[in-house]
């Protein structure tokens, strides 16, 4: 029932840098106390302590190599006069809090030590202290994931919330049965591996700094303090974490505050209104915007597609719903320093290039977005486009999330239809194949945004489209996306994604989880994120540009300031203001 601490003892010349290293990686190395040189006591942690003997076993490190273990440091008393002791809170300290909400401790049941692993996640380096993060793994039943996270999150001095839930490979851990420290702990059916930052990170830092002499406790032989473990009750919705599954292959859960999640649900409600009275309420699925945005937040790079050539008798045949939403998402992804590209029809490349160039001039985009096209040349064209050498086991990092916004989607008969059942296949390149191929590639997620059911990605709700949407039995898109966002106008879905990404980036709980609790919050970048949000002024200028290029309103083919037959100034501008 008492707090336990890891111990690291270093020469005083290294002490300031190591303290900064702890502060920069405080989830792994939550500093409880730093002694003065030669001081073997820690009065704030224990009334009668002696650093030299209070751990049952110590390890000695010389020039980065472990040269042995010993039960007492008294023989090094002379050297210790010039050394500083750091006491770091240990993950065992939150065990009581997690157990109190009914989470089984598998390593206790199996009468062994907790499993610890070296990851490929680099810590924030300070001077000579540089290493990868070390984590503990505790199996948690899936039904109790959120309870475990909420119990641990308030105990920031004891590592706080986990830094990863799901596939260990995403941390670079290849085999859970082979821990780097501690013992192998077996998962029960239904258990999810949950990883917390671990104080053994300090040992790796000591090894890498190659100090002439250093000491640590031996694994499992912690310093026991006089301080009782106390459960912390988290009250504010800003501090209450929620857990959401964002991928099954590989298994991956994300984390967000209840406050941020509610804001994003409000966005979803706002864009779900049906001004065209199409019956889209029957297509909507709850929390798709939240899950899609969480997945995008974890993505390194994103491929966006848009373009619905519904006006087949005009040149260009494109409608103006889609490109503004796509560029709004691209602008926010740019601000978040993710790679982003747009793939569109070969025949529309010049038009889209001009629109992108003018979007930069108007301040909608900070810089041009690379423009790509896709043609099916062989049976493996889609895999070759998305993967290294067409190998699904090695997805190209350029595309780990695909988004379609108001993109013509392939129906069950292989054709592409506008809302009036007209086949426009001759105007549409087979970009759907990229979404179908993505289903076979672990780690590549897809999102579809639509407003009528005939858009790419709406295959997830095709039965509802056939039942409730006019001409749905013919026009329904057959190609699914992992996440399906249904909006009154597809552009609104793009605006909402951009706003949701901003909300997630400014959510402390999500930010910490995203960076694996390494380094510091990126508060200085908030201004850039804010300036990337859509605005009435930006969208007005962009719509005027589309009109000048002959891109027409979807429902009426009008070249007025409207989208889907709805006037910009009394409908779309008001919706944008509500989203913001």
């Amino acid at each position: 029932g008492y707090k336990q601490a890891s111990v690291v003892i270093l020469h005083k010349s290294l002490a300031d840098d190591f303290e900064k290293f702890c502060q920069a990686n405080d989830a792994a190395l939550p500093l409880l106390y730093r002694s003065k040189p030669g001081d073997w006591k820690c009065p704030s942690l224990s009334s009668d302590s002696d650093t030299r003997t209070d751990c049952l076993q110590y390890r000695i490190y010389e020039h980065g190599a472990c040269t042995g273990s010993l039960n007492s440091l008294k023989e090094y008393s002379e050297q210790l006069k010039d050394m500083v002791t750091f006491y770091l809170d240990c993950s065992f300290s939150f065990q009581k809090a997690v157990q109190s909400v009914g989470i089984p401790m598998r390593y206790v049941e199996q009468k062994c030590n907790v499993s610890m692993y070296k990851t490929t996640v680099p810590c924030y380096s300070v001077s000579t202290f540089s290493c990868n993060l070390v984590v503990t793994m505790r199996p948690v039943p899936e039904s109790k994931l959120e309870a475990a996270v909420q119990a641990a999150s308030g105990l920031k001095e004891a590592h706080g919330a986990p830094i990863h839930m799901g596939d260990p490979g995403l941390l670079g851990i290849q085999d859970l049965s082979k821990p780097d420290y501690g013992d192998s702990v077996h998962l029960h059916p239904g258990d999810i591996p949950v990883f917390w930052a671990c104080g053994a990170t300090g040992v790796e830092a000591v090894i890498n700094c190659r100090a002439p002499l250093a000491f640590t406790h031996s694994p499992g032989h912690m310093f026991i303090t006089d301080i009782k473990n106390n459960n912390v009750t988290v009250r504010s919705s800003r501090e209450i974490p929620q857990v959401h599954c964002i991928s099954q292959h590989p298994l991956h859960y994300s984390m967000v505050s209840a406050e941020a999640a509610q804001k994003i649900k409000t966005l979803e409600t706002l864009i779900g209104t049906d001004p065209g009275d199409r019956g889209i309420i029957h297509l909507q699925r709850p929390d798709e915007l939240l899950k899609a945005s969480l997945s995008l937040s974890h993505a390194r790079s994103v491929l966006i597609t848009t373009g619905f050539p519904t006006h087949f008798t005009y040149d260009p045949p494109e409608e103006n719903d889609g490109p503004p939403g796509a560029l709004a998402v691209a602008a926010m992804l740019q601000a978040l320093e993710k790679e982003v590209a747009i793939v569109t029809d070969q025949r529309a490349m010049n038009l889209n290039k001009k629109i992108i160039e003018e979007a930069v001039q108007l301040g909608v985009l900070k810089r041009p977005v690379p423009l790509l096209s896709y043609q099916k040349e062989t049976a493996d064209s889609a895999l070759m486009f998305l993967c290294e050498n067409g190998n699904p086991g090695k997805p190209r990092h350029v595309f780990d999330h695909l988004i379609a916004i108001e993109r013509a989607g392939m129906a069950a008969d292989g054709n592409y239809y506008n809302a009036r059942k007209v086949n426009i296949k001759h105007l549409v390149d087979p970009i759907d194949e990229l979404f179908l191929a993505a289903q076979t590639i672990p780690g590549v997620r897809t999102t579809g945004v639509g407003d009528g059911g005939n858009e790419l990605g709406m295959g997830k709700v095709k039965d509802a489209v056939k039942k409730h949407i006019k001409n749905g039995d013919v026009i329904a898109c057959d190609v699914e996306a992992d996440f399906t966002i249904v909006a009154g106008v597809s552009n609104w879905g793009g605006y909402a994604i951009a706003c949701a990404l901003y909300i997630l980036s400014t959510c402390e709980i999500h930010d910490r989880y995203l960076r694996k609790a390494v380094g510091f919050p990126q508060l200085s970048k908030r201004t850039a994120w804010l300036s990337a949000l859509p605005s009435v002024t930006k969208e007005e200028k962009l719509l005027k540009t589309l009109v000048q290029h002959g891109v027409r309103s979807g429902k009426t083919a009008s070249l007025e300031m409207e989208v889907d037959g709805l006037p910009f100034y009394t409908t779309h501008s008001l919706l944008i203001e509500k989203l913001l």
Side-chain angles (χ1 to χ4, degrees):
Y2 291 89
K3 277 186 179 291
Q4 300 184 45
S6 305
V7 172
V8 174
I9 306 173
L10 295 163
H11 191 268
K12 61 185 180 183
S13 63
L14 298 170
D16 286 349
D17 283 340
F18 188 72
E19 181 173 355
K20 292 175 185 174
F21 182 74
C22 292
Q23 291 167 345
N25 303 281
D26 61 350
L29 304 168
L31 185 57
L32 293 176
Y33 184 78
R34 169 186 168 172
S35 79
K36 293 179 180 178
D39 189 354
W40 303 322
K41 299 186 181 300
C42 50
S44 64
L45 302 180
S46 176
S47 59
D48 184 22
S49 60
D50 187 333
T51 305
R52 301 170 300 173
T53 57
D54 283 343
C55 295
L56 294 177
Q57 192 178 79
Y58 300 84
R59 283 186 174 176
I60 180 170
Y61 292 87
E62 296 175 276
H63 301 286
C66 180
T67 55
S69 58
L70 54 168
N71 298 330
S72 169
L73 297 182
K74 282 192 171 181
E75 64 185 274
Y76 289 92
S77 294
E78 193 62 33
Q79 293 94 323
L80 287 169
K81 289 178 181 177
D82 288 325
M83 301 184 82
V84 173
T85 303
F86 291 86
Y87 300 84
L88 307 161
D89 206 343
C90 161
S91 62
F92 292 124
S93 293
F94 69 67
Q95 181 172 303
K96 178 187 172 187
V98 174
Q99 283 178 306
S100 71
V101 292
I103 312 300
M105 290 289 109
R106 300 296 188 210
Y107 70 94
V108 175
E109 294 173 356
Q110 296 168 28
K111 297 179 180 176
C112 60
N113 196 3
V114 71
S115 304
M116 291 167 267
Y117 304 88
K118 300 176 185 178
T119 72
T120 55
V121 178
C123 287
Y124 188 99
S125 299
V126 175
S127 188
T128 58
F129 293 104
S130 175
C131 67
N132 286 348
L133 186 68
V134 179
V135 294
T136 57
M137 187 282 292
R138 289 168 173 79
V140 176
E142 185 177 21
S143 62
K144 295 182 180 292
L145 266 183
E146 197 162 85
V149 169
Q150 290 178 358
S153 64
L155 299 167
K156 293 182 173 63
E157 283 190 346
H159 302 297
I163 57 96
H164 178 64
M165 296 170 282
D167 191 325
L170 295 174
L171 294 177
I173 300 168
Q174 301 305 318
D175 190 346
L176 283 180
S177 69
K178 296 177 181 177
D180 296 291
Y181 301 97
D183 301 312
S184 175
V185 178
H186 302 293
L187 279 71
H188 288 203
D191 281 352
I192 305 298
V194 180
F195 300 87
W196 275 266
C198 173
T201 302
V203 176
E204 292 297 307
V206 167
I207 291 170
N208 286 354
C209 86
R210 300 183 181 278
L213 181 66
F215 305 97
T216 69
H217 69 285
S218 288
H221 299 279
M222 321 299 291
F223 176 85
I224 310 297
T225 74
D226 294 345
I227 302 171
K228 279 274 193 181
N229 284 319
N230 294 313
N231 293 355
V232 175
T233 303
V234 183
R235 293 191 178 89
S236 164
S237 65
R238 187 176 296 174
E239 298 174 320
I240 298 174
Q242 290 184 0
V243 174
H244 296 274
C245 183
I246 57 171
S247 171
Q248 288 292 338
H249 304 289
L251 186 62
H252 193 191
Y253 293 82
S254 190
M255 196 185 302
V256 64
S257 73
E259 179 186 61
Q262 184 54 52
K263 288 180 180 179
I264 293 172
K265 289 177 183 180
T266 301
L267 297 178
E268 190 171 59
T269 301
L270 287 170
I271 65 170
T273 56
D274 190 4
D277 198 24
R278 298 181 182 182
I280 64 166
I281 190 172
H282 302 290
L283 313 185
Q284 291 166 351
R285 299 293 181 267
D287 295 336
E288 292 286 285
L289 175 61
L290 175 58
K291 291 177 182 177
S293 303
L294 284 168
S295 179
L296 280 165
S297 184
H298 283 271
R300 288 182 295 270
S301 48
V302 180
L303 182 67
I304 302 173
T305 185
T306 189
F308 206 122
T310 189
H311 302 305
F312 55 93
T313 60
Y314 291 94
D315 184 24
E318 269 69 29
E319 64 166 297
N320 58 19
D321 188 17
L327 293 182
V329 175
M332 183 54 69
L333 292 171
Q334 283 184 341
L336 294 172
E337 299 178 5
K338 299 181 186 294
E339 293 182 31
V340 57
I342 291 176
V343 60
T344 191
D345 301 297
Q346 181 64 46
R347 58 161 186 80
M349 288 288 279
N350 287 336
L351 171 65
N352 280 279
K353 184 179 179 184
K354 291 174 184 175
I355 292 170
I356 289 171
E357 288 173 351
E358 293 187 35
V360 175
Q361 294 170 10
L362 295 171
V364 175
L365 293 171
K366 290 295 182 189
R367 58 187 179 277
V369 179
L371 197 59
L372 309 173
S373 66
Y374 169 77
Q375 301 292 326
K376 183 175 182 178
E377 296 172 353
T378 68
D380 294 331
S381 289
L383 282 176
M384 294 297 290
F385 191 91
L386 294 172
C387 305
E388 296 283 357
N389 303 317
N391 180 358
K394 293 182 179 179
R396 240 165 79 183
H397 293 310
V398 192
F399 312 121
D400 52 5
H401 199 118
L402 279 58
I403 311 177
I405 300 182
E406 189 66 18
R407 170 71 192 175
M410 185 172 63
D413 64 3
N415 292 317
Y416 297 79
Y417 296 96
N418 67 13
R420 295 175 291 280
K421 283 200 302 189
V422 177
N423 185 0
I424 53 173
K425 184 176 182 178
H426 62 290
L427 295 171
V428 182
D429 289 348
I431 290 170
D432 304 63
E433 292 183 3
L434 300 179
F435 280 66
L436 292 169
Q439 295 172 8
T440 69
I441 307 170
V444 179
R445 302 290 94 201
T446 56
T447 295
V449 181
D451 57 19
N454 56 345
E455 301 91 358
L456 176 53
M458 294 292 116
K460 190 173 181 179
V461 294
K462 63 185 176 184
D463 291 339
V465 174
K466 292 174 183 177
K467 185 175 180 180
H468 297 286
I469 302 298
K470 183 181 179 181
N471 300 324
D473 56 329
V474 174
I475 70 173
C477 176
D478 202 51
V479 180
E480 292 189 19
D482 295 303
F483 311 105
T484 300
I485 298 170
V486 180
V489 177
S490 293
N491 280 342
W492 299 356
Y495 304 153
I497 291 173
C499 292
L501 286 171
Y502 175 80
I503 290 168
L504 291 176
S505 298
T506 54
C507 168
E508 290 180 12
I509 287 174
H510 182 69
D511 169 71
R512 178 187 183 276
Y513 188 75
L514 198 63
R515 57 186 168 84
K516 307 290 189 292
V518 165
F520 302 96
Q522 297 180 313
L523 298 177
S524 62
K525 297 179 181 177
R526 187 172 293 197
T527 302
W529 303 336
L530 197 59
S531 67
L533 284 167
S535 70
V536 173
T537 302
K538 285 183 194 175
E539 298 310 312
E540 179 185 23
K541 290 177 180 177
L542 185 56
L543 184 55
K544 286 180 179 177
T545 295
L546 292 172
V547 170
Q548 289 167 6
H549 285 289
V551 181
R552 299 168 182 270
S553 173
K555 197 171 183 180
T556 62
S558 166
L559 280 175
E560 302 296 325
M561 288 293 287
E562 65 173 50
V563 179
D564 275 353
L566 302 166
F568 179 81
Y569 295 108
T570 57
T571 304
H572 301 285
S573 63
L574 297 180
L575 188 280
I576 293 167
E577 288 175 352
K578 287 179 182 178
L579 291 175
L580 295 174

